[in-house]
Amino acid sequence: MKQLKIIIMTMMVMCLFTACNSDDDENFVDSAGTEVNVLHIRSDNGKTSMGTMYKSGETYNPPHCYIENGIVYNDGNPITVYHMGFGANIKGSDVFDMLNITFESDKPMSFSNMKAGDTFDNNQFHAAAAYTRTWPEAILIQATALSGKVTVVGTSKVGDKSCMTLRLSDLRFDAIDHSCVYTVNGTVEYEIWDIYYE
């Protein structure tokens, strides 16, 4: 009987220890995967960096998205092109200062067409990471995504603002000096701006 009690107590301690370890692992994965407006950046040579997004009232605009259209010419013929843009300035990162994602179509676009769970490969959008906070310089000092995916998490209301949340998965960008490749992961909540640029 005494041996049975010892065996049961040993098993209970082992189960408790295993449960604690399992919870710690799950919490670590969950917290890393659900942080909103935090980007995790890692280079292929081991450098890590973390950046956060600005909030309303800070130096730069918070992450935002908008729709615009413009005219391009193909063999002299004007064609209307529509863009859905997701822009964000980044603070705290010693790698990137801006990250922009743009979808393009020859038909009018709407945020209501972006459904939770929709996943896009980098050949379906254009993503650019800028190594400067200055917009004119960003055109010259930026890298285009080599690969990666964007997934629509969903839309929500934050106060009186409508927002769309995207999960950025393994977006890879060449360093400006081509010394390494950076991989960006994170979940970003973008304010939907009620501005339709023409």
Side-chain angles (χ1 to χ4, degrees), residues 37 53-63 91 191:
N37 292 344
M53 305 304 178
Y54 287 87
K55 298 177 183 175
S56 294
E58 292 186 325
T59 309
Y60 296 95
N61 287 318
K91 62 179 178 178
E191 290 182 9

Side-chain angles (χ1 to χ4, degrees), residues 65-118:
C65 51
Y66 55 89
I67 293 174
E68 65 181 357
N69 69 342
I71 302 294
V72 297
Y73 289 87
N74 185 5
D75 294 330
N77 299 316
I79 299 172
T80 302
V81 177
Y82 300 88
H83 296 98
M84 180 182 291
F86 295 82
N89 287 87
I90 303 166
K91 62 179 178 178
S93 168
D94 57 356
V95 179
F96 300 122
D97 292 301
M98 285 188 277
L99 180 62
N100 296 296
I101 297 167
T102 308
F103 294 86
E104 185 177 294
S105 176
D106 58 356
K107 297 179 177 58
M109 305 177 83
S110 170
F111 291 111
S112 63
N113 294 333
M114 304 280 277
K115 305 299 184 190
D118 286 351

Side-chain angles (χ1 to χ4, degrees), residues 121-143:
D121 194 71
N122 79 306
N123 61 2
Q124 297 173 286
F125 60 86
H126 175 80
Y131 295 88
T132 174
R133 288 194 171 101
T134 308
W135 277 105
E137 289 181 348
I139 296 169
L140 302 172
I141 312 175
Q142 68 176 348

Side-chain angles (χ1 to χ4, degrees), residues 63-66 86 111 155-156 161-164 190-195:
H64 56 277
C65 51
Y66 55 89
F86 295 82
F111 291 111
T155 55
S156 60
K161 297 180 184 352
S162 295
C163 297
M164 175 167 285
Y190 297 88
E191 290 182 9
I192 298 175
W193 285 6
D194 294 328
I195 300 173

Side-chain angles (χ1 to χ4, degrees), residues 9 24 29 48 51 60 98 110 125 132 139 143-145 160 169 187:
M9 287 180 63
D24 288 345
V29 171
T48 60
Y60 296 95
M98 285 188 277
S110 170
F125 60 86
T132 174
I139 296 169
T144 300
D160 60 346
S169 303
T187 301

